[in-house]
DNA sequence: CCCTTTTAATTGTCCAGACAATTGTACAAT
DNA sequence: ATTGTACAATTGTCTGGACAATTAAAAGGG
């Protein structure tokens, strides 16, 4: 496993941040200093800093240099959202591993999530979302597809990226609106086990209340027909939901 | 407004995608082709493609080139005004009851929230947000104002509505961007007591883990200067965050 | 003391070139 | 028809240089 030069540098700097040697507000070495220290070209030093910025650890400004903005230890993953494009990109560099695939008729808990008429036919896909190379899944996820998408559901590979563009293509419609609902919920034992790495041991129930962040998304077409619902459950210790609102 | 070379190229390619001239699965010109066509170095061509990838429009693989992965859905969903207006409306029919008002220099926990340089001067207001006629506060809230707003902070009444319009008026600037971060956190004893109505009694510690939803908002002006930060803590049992993404 | 101007340090953009790593394609062999 | 192999197209990584744009900090003026 060859590690690239810029990865080594990014890793070294990242560890100085996560270990606390550099804390929030501190400055990192300038590009010129990194070039000299590691004997690399400016391209390589910039690439290392670029990765750190994309990881949300630092910000960079001309003349001010690179500044630590997050300790990195708190939440391992965050979902920066400023548009549906981000939603899509998040989905494309993670993979939806489908573990179950069923036809259902809305009832019980499913009905509560869907909010449709009782008995309406849907396809339910459940599984986890993974980031390649990382053992712990990012979240547990259940996707409901409208019965008119049963054909698509069958053809879906065991491991898929974003769903809603496929829905658009399948039906030839446009997703015109996405409603989101975010809430904090307690995690059950099996859920916590699936999402958490090592729980602090000592199975004395309730010692460390496992907390989750549940995100539900409802996808509507231009005539307000509900086509898809996704329900994902993240470990609160490893996930924060970020979004950006712009005003032009 | 000078537009950089790679921005021009990215824009040209992006328009071919959003206009439908290129659809999902189609290939973009290779880097070499772009270099030749636009008379630029490979650095510039790569930078253009990199932006498109970061925008979620394309994926790139060695030998396979650049492939369109998202159709016109690029800049589509965003909620520039509707949400800012909703944010405003939410704040105006509730009231921010200020309980403490201090000048601080960024350090410790404040620094972690602000993510600015250590020692920078801010004004911190803390209190609760209430809905008139309801006994239990909606949330605990801390607001940080940039030192240039110290005058405003002094004049604020004990009970105020939305803060950011006042910030805009005070400095004569426009809030151009609001970053939000939502996470689930465990509630401490005093916080749970302040937010919760009747806890299920029986103080047997840990029996009912109190869960909160923390929402942080960062308000930036058009030059990306951070002017205001709000940090609010809601009881999970009584609060869910809902939003709607539209596409015109 | 506060405000404006200048200066210089730092990142941002861009060029021209080199080699490495990956992988789709075509062709050969079974 | 399937499998394996060689080829070559394409992106990924990296060097060393140059100038532009931005802006924090210093210097100066009221």
């Amino acid at each position: 496993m060859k590690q690239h030069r810029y990865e080594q540098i990014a890793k070294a700097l990242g560890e100085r941040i996560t270990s606390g040697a550099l804390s929030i507000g501190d400055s990192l070495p300038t590009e010129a200093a990194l070039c000299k220290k590691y004997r690399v070209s400016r391209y390589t030093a910039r690439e290392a800093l670029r990765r750190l910025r994309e990881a949300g650890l630092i910000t960079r400004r001309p003349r001010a240099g690179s500044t630590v903005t997050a300790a990195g230890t708190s939440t391992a993953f965050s979902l920066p959202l400023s548009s549906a494009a981000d939603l899509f990109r998040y989905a494309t560099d993670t993979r939806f591993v489908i573990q179950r695939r069923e036809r259902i008729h809305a009832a019980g808990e499913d009905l509560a999530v869907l909010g449709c008429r009782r008995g309406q036919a849907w396809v339910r896909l459940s599984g986890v979302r993974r980031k390649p190379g990382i053992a712990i899944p990012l979240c547990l996820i259940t996707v409901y597809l409208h019965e008119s998408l049963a054909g698509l559901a069958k053809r879906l590979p065991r491991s898929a990226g974003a769903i809603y563009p496929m829905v658009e293509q399948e039906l030839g419609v446009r997703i015109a609106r996405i409603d989101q609902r975010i809430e904090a919920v307690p995690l059950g034992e099996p859920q916590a086990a699936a999402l958490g790495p090592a729980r602090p041991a000592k199975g004395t129930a309730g010692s460390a209340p496992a907390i989750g962040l549940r995100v539900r998304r409802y996808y509507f077409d231009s005539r307000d027909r509900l086509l898809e619902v996704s329900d994902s459950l993240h470990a609160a210790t490893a996930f924060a939901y970020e979004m950006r609102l712009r005003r032009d």
Side-chain angles (χ1 to χ4, degrees), chain A:
Chain A
M1 173 78 178
K2 170 70 182 302
Q3 200 175 29
H4 294 294
R5 211 77 188 80
Y6 66 81
E7 282 178 324
Q8 296 171 16
I9 299 173
K11 195 178 162 202
L13 293 173
E15 277 167 3
R16 281 171 62 187
I17 295 174
T18 52
S19 74
L22 288 171
S23 49
I24 292 179
D26 290 348
S27 288
L28 265 68
T30 64
E31 294 178 1
L34 290 175
C35 292
K36 206 169 158 190
K37 179 172 181 188
Y38 292 99
R39 308 296 199 106
V40 295
S41 74
R42 209 177 140 214
Y43 170 91
T44 307
R46 280 178 70 75
E47 201 64 26
L49 293 170
R50 176 174 230 154
R51 306 294 160 132
L52 290 177
R53 187 177 56 180
E54 285 174 0
L57 289 178
I58 66 173
T59 60
R60 316 189 64 215
R61 294 203 319 287
R63 175 64 220 247
S66 305
T67 311
V68 179
T69 51
T73 52
S74 53
T75 53
F77 302 102
S78 66
L79 175 56
L81 255 198
S82 61
S83 66
D86 291 337
L87 214 63
F88 180 80
R89 190 161 59 86
Y90 166 71
T92 50
D93 46 60
T94 62
R95 295 187 320 180
F96 176 23
V97 182
I98 301 173
Q99 293 164 337
R100 276 173 62 187
R101 199 183 305 228
E102 310 160 87
R103 295 204 56 180
I104 61 159
H105 292 271
E109 190 156 345
D110 296 323
L111 182 61
V113 175
L114 292 169
C116 62
R117 286 196 317 280
R118 176 181 310 276
Q120 202 166 42
W122 288 78
V123 179
R124 183 177 65 197
L125 310 172
S126 47
V128 300
R129 198 169 271 286
R130 290 187 175 281
K131 204 178 184 74
I134 296 183
I136 305 162
L138 290 177
C139 62
L140 308 180
I141 179 167
T142 302
V143 172
Y144 298 89
L145 295 175
H146 188 263
E147 63 172 339
S148 60
L149 292 162
L152 171 63
K154 276 211 191 77
R155 290 200 311 281
L156 271 183
R158 284 270 309 284
S159 162
I163 309 284
Y164 84 81
M166 302 186 204
V167 170
E168 288 187 326
Q169 202 151 22
E170 174 80 5
L171 295 185
V173 299
R174 258 171 83 83
I175 299 296
R177 174 160 66 91
I178 304 177
D179 286 359
Q180 292 191 109
R181 179 188 169 85
I182 302 173
E183 59 186 340
V185 295
L187 288 181
E189 263 307 320
Q191 297 165 339
L195 288 172
R199 292 279 301 288
K202 289 279 286 186
T204 54
S207 67
I211 300 181
L213 200 64
R214 153 174 273 157
V215 180
R216 285 189 187 145
R217 297 199 184 92
Y218 297 82
Y219 299 78
F220 297 88
D221 72 2
S222 56
R223 281 150 76 184
D224 269 355
R225 287 178 301 201
L226 181 60
L227 297 180
E228 177 191 345
V229 177
S230 71
D231 181 347
S232 44
L233 193 60
H234 305 259
T237 50
F239 187 81
Y241 199 93
E242 294 181 351
M243 85 201 72
R244 172 170 297 188
L245 312 175
R246 280 201 198 81
R247 190 151 76 171
D248 300 320

